[in-house]
Amino acid sequence: MTVKKAIYPGSFDPVTNGHLDVIQRAAILFDEVIVAVSTNIGKSPMFTTEERIEMLREACRHLPNVTVDHFDGLLVRYAAGRNANVIVKGLRALSDFEFEFEMALMNRRLNEGIETVFMMTNAEYSYLSSSIVKEIVSFGGSVEGLVPKIAEEYLKRKVSSSQYGVKAAGSHNGPSRGRGFE
Ligand code: PNS
C-alpha cells in the first residue's frame, strides 16, 4: 500500500488557528502531513525560521502524523525530495483563489507528478491571516482565540522586545499585509 504523504507549505509568520484548522483537516485525509516552513521572497518575516518551526511543532503536538520541517528553493523540488505527491493549500475566500490558482498551475508545469489539493478553512477563520494578527498585536490588541497559545506568547514577547511595538507600527520594519493565509 502506498503512503499518502502531503506537504502543507507556507510562511507561518506566525501560525494561526486558520492554518491549524487546515492542518487538522489534512491530517485526517493523509497518512502523513509535512508542514513545511519557507520564506516568501515577497515578505520580510517577523519571526526567524526556527521560531516559526518551534511554534508549529508545539501547536501540532497533538497530531501524531504531522511533522514540521523547512525548505529553501522550489516547493515542487522539496516535495519530490520528500516523496510527497500532494501539496495542500488552504483557501479562505475568493480573494485567495487567483494567486493560488496561478501557483498551482505553475507548480504543475514544474512537476506534473505533484498535485495541489485545496482545502476550505472553517468559515470562522475566513477573515484571519498572519498579517492581520501581527497588525493587531503591534497596536496592542488581543489575538486570543485567533492563534495557538504558543504563538500568542511568541507575539507578546516579540512586540515587547522589539521594533514591532505600537510606536513603530507604521514603520518599514513593522508588519505588512500579504496575500494568502499570510
Ligand atoms: O504562507 P505564504 O507566504 O502564502 O507561503 C508561500 C509559499 C512559501 C508556499 C510560496 O511562496 C512557495 O511555494 N515558495 C517556494 C518557492 C516556489 O516554489 N515558488 C514557485 C511557486 S509557483
Side-chain angles (χ1 to χ4, degrees):
M1 203 184 84
T2 53
V3 174
K4 287 186 286 164
K5 201 191 276 189
I7 306 280
Y8 178 45
S11 304
F12 305 108
D13 186 45
V15 55
T16 67
N17 283 344
H19 294 127
L20 201 54
D21 179 56
V22 171
I23 295 169
Q24 285 170 168
R25 289 171 195 280
I28 295 167
L29 288 181
F30 299 98
D31 298 314
E32 274 182 61
V33 177
I34 302 168
V35 181
V37 178
S38 189
T39 297
N40 185 327
I41 53 165
K43 302 168 188 169
S44 47
M46 176 187 260
F47 294 100
T48 64
T49 304
E50 289 69 30
E51 288 171 327
R52 288 180 273 153
I53 290 172
E54 276 167 33
M55 283 184 264
L56 277 161
R57 287 211 171 117
E58 178 60 29
C60 296
R61 246 187 2 177
H62 61 296
L63 301 167
N65 60 338
V66 173
T67 54
V68 182
D69 191 15
H70 69 99
F71 73 99
D72 294 311
L74 284 180
L75 171 59
V76 287
R77 214 170 273 162
Y78 170 75
R82 296 295 312 258
N83 292 320
N85 53 5
V86 175
I87 292 169
V88 169
K89 286 300 198 83
L91 276 187
R92 294 167 304 179
L94 220 55
S95 52
D96 283 342
F97 181 76
E98 202 174 332
F99 181 60
E100 291 297 343
F101 186 67
E102 188 182 307
M103 282 216 285
L105 291 185
M106 188 51 76
N107 280 331
R108 183 185 287 162
R109 188 192 154 94
L110 292 168
N111 186 333
E112 277 201 353
I114 296 176
E115 200 63 55
T116 300
V117 170
F118 290 105
M119 300 188 70
M120 304 301 294
T121 182
N122 193 319
E124 195 187 335
Y125 304 122
S126 59
Y127 58 91
L128 182 57
S129 67
S130 298
S131 302
I132 212 159
V133 159
K134 285 181 279 192
E135 188 164 317
I136 293 168
V137 166
S138 61
F139 285 110
S142 165
V143 290
E144 198 182 336
L146 301 180
V147 296
K149 270 272 166 267
I150 184 78
E152 217 180 310
E153 286 161 22
Y154 270 70
L155 281 158
K156 277 186 196 151
R157 227 177 299 147
K158 185 71 83 178
V159 166
S160 63
S161 72
S162 75
Q163 77 274 29
Y164 289 100
V166 176
K167 266 202 296 202
S171 80
H172 292 299
N173 292 328
S176 62
R177 293 270 180 88
R179 287 191 283 190
F181 272 46
E182 189 50 29

